[in-house]
Amino acid sequence: MMTTNITESMNAMLISKGEYPMASIFNSITKRFGEIFRERRAYILKCKDNKFIPTAEKILRDNISEGDSFYVDNISGYESQYTVFGIVSMAKVDLLERSCSCRKFYMVKIQCDHAMASLRSKHGDAYGLRFYDYSSP
């Protein structure tokens, strides 16, 4: 029989409660989940100025760094459509549609490195403050 990490975590929480009546077991489960959710809520409230979780912020910082090496051109003439040229690849980015031909922008819902390069071309040095405006909810 296969087990998951969730199952093993639940078993670890309940191992000491095995001899108690059912009502006590459910009360202890409710209490433990309440503690976990309070801890997570306190952590989120501490980071409320950020619009993304820390992992997404790290991905965005990495994409900003990678996007700095790309050449961006606005071939179509539209303000939101850009063609991004890399060493090996080329991508087409539409900032208003929140799409990129690499499909990472669509799949992850945060800007890929091509979209970051397009934002740099559109907004100049202040583009690092504008990527929240182009992220999907």
Side-chain angles (χ1 to χ4, degrees):
M1 179 168 100
M2 289 180 52
T3 61
T4 63
N5 287 338
I6 295 171
T7 304
E8 291 169 6
S9 298
M10 288 296 296
N11 285 340
M13 280 183 4
L14 299 176
I15 222 139
S16 65
K17 312 291 188 230
E19 64 273 355
Y20 296 132
M22 289 301 284
S24 297
I25 291 173
F26 286 117
N27 287 339
S28 68
I29 292 171
T30 304
K31 180 181 175 188
R32 181 65 183 132
F33 277 121
E35 291 169 359
I36 291 170
F37 288 130
R38 277 191 293 281
E39 289 171 7
R40 288 184 181 176
R41 179 167 168 71
Y43 176 75
I44 295 298
L45 289 176
K46 183 176 75 172
C47 303
K48 72 179 183 178
D49 293 337
N50 295 339
K51 296 187 183 210
F52 293 110
I53 60 172
T55 306
E57 292 281 348
K58 182 186 180 317
I59 292 169
L60 287 169
R61 282 192 307 273
D62 292 345
N63 287 344
I64 286 173
S65 298
E66 291 174 21
D68 287 342
S69 65
F70 294 143
Y71 172 75
V72 181
D73 196 9
N74 188 342
I75 295 174
S76 66
Y78 292 109
E79 188 177 307
S80 65
Q81 295 178 351
Y82 296 89
T83 305
V84 181
F85 300 95
I87 296 171
V88 184
S89 63
M90 179 194 82
K92 293 186 180 192
V93 177
D94 189 336
L95 294 174
L96 287 181
E97 295 291 324
R98 296 181 173 131
S99 65
C100 178
S101 59
C102 75
R103 312 250 326 139
K104 289 180 191 173
F105 198 177
Y106 173 75
M107 299 295 280
V108 182
K109 304 295 187 211
I110 57 175
Q111 292 86 359
C112 61
D113 45 358
H114 306 111
M116 287 298 189
S118 300
L119 286 172
R120 176 177 37 88
S121 177
K122 182 175 182 179
H123 296 289
D125 291 335
Y127 78 100
L129 304 172
R130 300 299 307 260
F131 58 79
Y132 294 117
D133 298 338
Y134 294 97
S135 297
S136 295

